[in-house]
Amino acid sequence: MNSSWFDESIRPFLKGYSLEYSSFPDGDFGDLERIELEGFNKLGTVEFWSKGWIGVDIYDCALEDQVMNVLLSPEEKDSVPQAFERLIKILTQNS
């Protein structure tokens, strides 16, 4: 999974959000592709590492609370679909 997969599979659900893409080579878990999301009083970050790690973090500015913070190892790949379903649910409620 990477930012191209995100654009095809997740981005269509995020109408009204601004997205910013960045990448960083040679991190702790390999090369990093980061997507920062902002909209509807929510800030989020999705991170894809080349060694298979995936991170999802969402902060709700209205609630002043971190509502999702997940770091999945390559061995937890079966949990990835549920993580992105939860991301979509959080980001699309009240939007």
Side-chain angles (χ1 to χ4, degrees):
M1 292 185 165
N2 57 26
S3 60
S4 297
W5 172 86
F6 182 90
D7 284 344
E8 293 174 15
S9 303
I10 306 300
R11 187 173 185 165
F13 295 99
L14 305 180
K15 304 257 188 268
Y17 279 89
S18 64
L19 283 75
E20 184 175 324
Y21 296 76
S22 54
S23 58
F24 306 92
D26 302 322
D28 291 341
F29 303 121
D31 297 338
L32 170 64
E33 290 184 81
R34 177 179 290 153
I35 304 164
E36 296 177 36
L37 309 104
E38 183 177 350
F40 306 102
N41 282 322
K42 296 183 181 95
L43 303 171
T45 305
V46 176
E47 298 175 322
F48 298 101
W49 280 276
S50 62
K51 292 185 180 178
W53 291 76
I54 297 175
V56 179
D57 181 58
I58 303 172
Y59 184 83
D60 189 315
C61 299
L63 298 175
E64 296 183 1
D65 190 25
Q66 186 176 33
V67 292
M68 184 174 183
N69 186 14
V70 175
L71 178 61
L72 298 170
S73 72
E75 294 78 25
E76 296 173 293
K77 64 183 176 195
D78 292 342
S79 299
V80 171
Q82 294 89 349
F84 281 103
E85 287 172 17
R86 185 171 168 216
L87 172 134
I88 291 167
K89 182 177 178 183
I90 290 170
L91 293 180
T92 57
Q93 67 189 21
N94 304 321
S95 60

